[in-house]
Amino acid sequence: MSDSTNICLACGLCCDGTVIGFVQVGREELPVLRELLDVENANGEGFFLQPCKKYCDGCTIYPDRPKHCAKYECGLLESLEQKEIDFNTALKTVQVVKQKKIAIEKKLTLLQLDLRSQSFYFKMIELKKLYQSNKALSFLTQNHLDLITDLEQLESLLSKRFGVSFS
């Protein structure tokens, strides 16, 4: 197996809703994918929100996954394929993102913020907007400030290594 395949199998950040909020599904894929996923219909084409319900420590529908999923290449994968980084560096980057995500999720639970999104990606957009609109308010505790710092660090890492931004 190639390093590219191995990093994708070790990562899963696109499937778990960290770097992608939804997946577009083409018309020709709808009949098959509707049987596998909760596909929403919009103007004859479909989409489903992340995290993918068929992702559990790996894609459980890999041979039948949507074309969008099969074609997707994040910035980290591109850097690995272009030999700008090695496999161990890519793997460490994935681990750092996962640790930062866990820390953010713990702080979200602690702060009991009422975020509507299920996808981590969309939660981060929602959180970023919430804090931008309330930045000067005195309700921000040290836990809020720590969460903002974690969010900014994660977004910086995702932007630099994955080509993703929460905006």
Side-chain angles (χ1 to χ4, degrees):
M1 242 183 242
S2 72
D3 281 351
S4 298
T5 302
N6 284 331
I7 198 64
C8 288
L9 292 173
C11 180
L13 294 172
C14 55
C15 301
D16 75 0
T18 301
V19 298
I20 297 175
F22 70 96
V23 173
Q24 192 73 37
V25 176
R27 291 175 200 256
E28 69 283 357
E29 300 177 281
L30 281 175
V32 172
L33 291 175
R34 274 202 177 114
E35 294 179 26
L36 300 171
L37 297 162
D38 296 328
V39 177
E40 302 288 330
N41 193 355
N43 300 325
E45 297 205 354
F47 68 94
F48 61 93
L49 297 174
Q50 298 288 55
C52 179
K53 291 174 179 35
K54 296 298 181 177
Y55 180 79
C56 181
D57 293 328
C59 181
T60 60
I61 60 167
Y62 193 80
D64 298 315
R65 72 193 186 279
K67 289 178 185 175
H68 184 82
C69 296
K71 289 185 206 177
Y72 181 74
E73 289 193 4
C74 69
L76 186 70
L77 179 60
E78 290 172 355
S79 294
L80 182 63
E81 288 176 340
Q82 294 172 9
K83 302 196 183 321
E84 296 170 354
I85 60 171
D86 62 23
F87 181 78
N88 288 333
T89 302
L91 192 57
K92 285 178 187 170
T93 301
V94 169
Q95 291 168 346
V96 169
V97 169
K98 287 181 176 184
Q99 290 169 350
K100 192 61 76 176
K101 179 182 176 185
I102 289 168
I104 288 171
E105 287 173 329
K106 285 180 181 178
K107 287 180 178 114
L108 287 173
T109 301
L110 175 72
L111 293 169
Q112 299 179 343
L113 295 174
D114 185 28
L115 302 177
R116 291 181 244 150
S117 303
Q118 294 299 310
S119 170
F120 183 82
Y121 178 83
F122 287 128
K123 279 183 188 177
M124 294 307 95
I125 292 172
E126 199 176 339
L127 185 62
K128 190 175 172 182
K129 287 180 182 177
L130 175 71
Y131 281 135
Q132 286 173 343
S133 65
N134 294 312
K135 213 169 195 173
L137 296 181
S138 60
F139 85 91
L140 295 177
T141 66
Q142 187 59 49
N143 287 332
H144 287 98
L145 297 174
D146 291 344
L147 179 58
I148 292 169
T149 299
D150 285 349
L151 176 62
E152 289 170 348
Q153 289 172 351
L154 179 61
E155 185 170 27
S156 174
L157 180 59
L158 290 177
S159 176
K160 178 180 175 187
R161 289 294 191 187
F162 290 81
V164 174
S165 176
F166 300 131
S167 40

